[in-house]
Amino acid sequence: MTGESPATCLVVDDSRTVRKAARRILEKLGFTVAEAGDGAEALTACRSSMPQVVLLDWNMPVMDGLEFLRAARAEFGPDHPIVVLCTTEAAMEKIVEALGAGAQEYVMKPFDEGILRDKFVQVGLLRDEAA
Amino acid sequence: MTPESFAFIAGVVKSRSGLVLTSDKGYMLETRLGPLLKRDGLASLDALALKLRDPRSSALADAVTEALTTNESSFFRDGKPFDHLRQALPVLARARAPGSLLRIWSAACSTGQEAYSIAMLVQELNLEGRRVEIIGTDIADSVVARAREGYFTQFEVQRGMPARLLVKHFRQESGRWRVSPELRAMARFERGTLLGDLRGFGRFDVIFCRNVLIYFDAPTKTRVLNALAAQLLPDGVLYLGGAETVLGLTDRLAPLAGERGAYGRPREAALAG
Ligand SMILES: [Mg+2]
């Protein structure tokens, strides 16, 4: 980690299995992890305690990932929280849409530890390890 | 596998690639060569070693060497050399005549991630009219062909590369991602070994030769470093992997002050040209 105290990551996904898999990897990478099952829960969580980064699924009931992203950018501004999409949506135009709406990074599922680590390096929350 | 079989396979691989397989690499041989054994209906690594003794088995020897030397690769692997290049390339460009061609070599290019990372970086720099040519070489035919085509899986494009660069420089083609024609036009890929005569590749402003020397014994490291130094222009930069060094191996290259992994020709040599 780049900071002294562990950064908090809010994992937002309607699949409990995906949340568990992401939590296992993120905790190994040194993050403190919180979970939310949809965009509305995630917004509530951000209002009560702002995480450094949100790992965000796209397709979810109640409020989807892009709706959350637009609401979060309107309410909290462009830089906080850092948003990394993490979704089965893998079309070029979806990635462009998410980056245009203010996401910092984009993960196409399935993901593994290597991919998550690289993406969190790119958003500046992890140090690049020498090869 | 008998020690004799291991030594024979290791000998074949060393003579073709320079890769030194120490005796603790038995497990690596089993995992990397398993698919090849299956393909050729060979029961064991001993059977493979026996077949390699046949002088007509040179295609098989190539395939064995390829399977053992292909590395996992990612874009912008270990960001430091790329950060350094972003500063160094405009300086090198200004030292060249307007309109001249800067040459960058990705030695041991594997499937092309390093060469295309360099191309993406170059596209974001203002080199005041100097052009850049990137040459990737690798001893393995199959990876050179892949690098040239520029297709990457969804998994590969997510290793080391920001999404911003993915959407800027890649096109989606039926589930795979292909490097844009503009980037492909900047890079050329050919088969080549670092153990042969390097003079045919010409002189370079920048050479990337990362995570290759670690596989060589000390005399081979020295030979390769001296040959690379001879192809490097006097003010050029050589990048080695994080675990590699020139210290104690050659005095024709020296670490650049304050930089890790970046090397140049010592000043005396530079003045002598
Ligand atoms: Mg979902």
Side-chain angles (χ1 to χ4, degrees), chain B residues 68-122:
Chain B
L68 290 169
T69 52
T70 304
N71 287 311
E72 197 200 326
S73 194
S74 90
F75 289 91
F76 298 100
R77 181 175 181 185
D78 178 16
K80 284 192 186 66
F82 296 97
D83 294 340
H84 187 269
L85 182 65
R86 200 172 281 119
Q87 308 299 322
L89 205 52
V91 176
L92 283 168
R94 278 195 293 276
R96 306 286 179 265
S100 58
L101 183 68
L102 288 130
R103 303 184 75 236
I104 304 179
W105 186 10
S106 170
C109 65
S110 190
T111 40
Q113 281 92 334
E114 182 176 78
Y116 290 124
S117 299
I118 296 165
M120 285 186 264
L121 183 152
V122 166

Side-chain angles (χ1 to χ4, degrees), chain A residues 8-129:
Chain A
T8 314
C9 180
L10 177 64
V11 175
V12 189
D13 201 298
D14 57 333
S15 157
R16 209 173 145 265
T17 314
V18 171
R19 291 201 306 269
K20 267 172 69 181
R23 172 189 280 276
R24 198 168 47 236
I25 292 170
L26 291 166
E27 285 180 343
K28 194 173 160 196
L29 295 174
F31 288 89
T32 300
V33 174
E35 297 181 24
D38 61 56
E41 275 183 38
L43 265 185
T44 308
C46 286
R47 285 179 191 130
S48 68
S49 171
M50 180 62 77
Q52 269 89 346
V53 56
V54 176
L55 189 70
L56 182 66
D57 187 20
W58 192 311
N59 299 305
M60 294 178 289
V62 187
M63 178 189 262
D64 75 21
L66 256 276
E67 291 173 300
F68 164 84
L69 176 59
R70 294 206 167 91
R73 288 296 171 248
E75 188 169 338
F76 311 120
D79 304 323
H80 301 287
I82 291 169
V83 172
V84 178
L85 261 289
C86 184
T87 169
T88 52
E89 298 289 351
M92 174 80 99
E93 42 299 358
K94 292 290 190 177
I95 306 176
V96 171
E97 184 183 355
L99 296 179
Q104 273 80 2
E105 264 302 336
Y106 199 104
V107 173
M108 295 172 268
K109 289 173 181 169
F111 59 86
D112 65 2
E113 188 185 333
I115 289 174
L116 285 193
R117 193 198 304 111
D118 282 4
K119 291 298 175 183
F120 281 86
V121 167
Q122 272 140 32
V123 298
L125 288 170
L126 289 174
R127 244 191 285 272
D128 192 7
E129 287 168 46

Side-chain angles (χ1 to χ4, degrees), chain B:
Chain B
M1 177 178 36
T2 66
E4 291 74 26
S5 296
F6 180 89
F8 190 79
I9 295 172
V12 166
V13 171
K14 177 157 192 269
S15 69
R16 280 166 190 265
S17 70
L19 170 69
V20 178
L21 292 165
T22 47
S23 52
D24 58 327
K25 294 291 195 301
Y27 173 76
M28 181 188 171
L29 259 61
E30 311 220 344
T31 54
R32 295 282 188 100
L33 298 179
L36 208 59
L37 296 185
K38 203 176 281 175
R39 187 197 77 178
D40 286 13
L42 296 164
S44 65
L45 290 170
D46 291 315
L48 175 69
L50 194 62
K51 193 158 180 202
L52 284 171
R53 285 176 197 271
D54 184 332
R56 289 164 300 179
S57 291
S58 85
L60 181 62
D62 280 343
V64 166
T65 307
E66 222 173 281
L68 290 169
T69 52
T70 304
N71 287 311
E72 197 200 326
S73 194
S74 90
F75 289 91
F76 298 100
R77 181 175 181 185
D78 178 16
K80 284 192 186 66
F82 296 97
D83 294 340
H84 187 269
L85 182 65
R86 200 172 281 119
Q87 308 299 322
L89 205 52
V91 176
L92 283 168
R94 278 195 293 276
R96 306 286 179 265
S100 58
L101 183 68
L102 288 130
R103 303 184 75 236
I104 304 179
W105 186 10
S106 170
C109 65
S110 190
T111 40
Q113 281 92 334
E114 182 176 78
Y116 290 124
S117 299
I118 296 165
M120 285 186 264
L121 183 152
V122 166
Q123 292 250 311
E124 306 206 334
L125 295 175
N126 176 12
L127 300 179
E128 296 168 35
R130 281 74 167 177
R131 292 161 303 130
V132 171
E133 171 185 53
I134 301 159
I135 292 151
T137 60
D138 200 283
I139 52 164
D141 260 334
S142 63
V143 298
V144 169
R146 275 202 55 202
R148 200 176 284 141
E149 292 300 309
Y151 283 104
F152 295 93
T153 64
Q154 177 174 302
F155 183 81
E156 287 167 329
V157 296
Q158 300 200 80
R159 295 307 313 272
M161 186 160 47
R164 175 182 70 80
L165 293 180
L166 176 67
V167 298
K168 185 173 175 190
H169 293 295
F170 287 72
R171 310 283 172 270
Q172 218 162 6
E173 287 183 26
S174 52
R176 288 185 302 171
W177 294 82
R178 189 172 200 191
V179 180
S180 70
E182 294 75 24
L183 285 199
R184 272 185 284 133
M186 293 173 68
R188 185 157 60 76
F189 295 93
E190 35 186 270
R191 186 176 171 169
T193 165
L194 292 169
L195 301 183
D197 187 346
L198 304 185
R199 287 173 297 184
F201 295 117
R203 314 279 308 275
F204 292 91
D205 299 272
V206 176
I207 301 175
F208 280 74
C209 184
R210 301 187 299 153
N211 308 303
V212 181
L213 295 175
I214 41 173
Y215 298 111
F216 297 155
D217 58 23
T220 310
K221 283 177 185 168
T222 296
R223 180 152 68 88
V224 170
L225 284 169
N226 286 340
L228 290 173
Q231 298 318 116
L232 190 65
L233 287 163
D235 56 350
V237 186
L238 167 71
Y239 297 106
L240 298 178
E244 297 164 329
T245 182
V246 305
L247 298 174
L249 294 166
T250 179
D251 53 12
R252 295 185 210 172
L253 292 161
L256 296 183
E259 302 294 340
R260 193 180 61 78
Y263 300 84
R265 290 171 51 179
R267 188 162 294 263
E268 299 76 39
L271 289 174

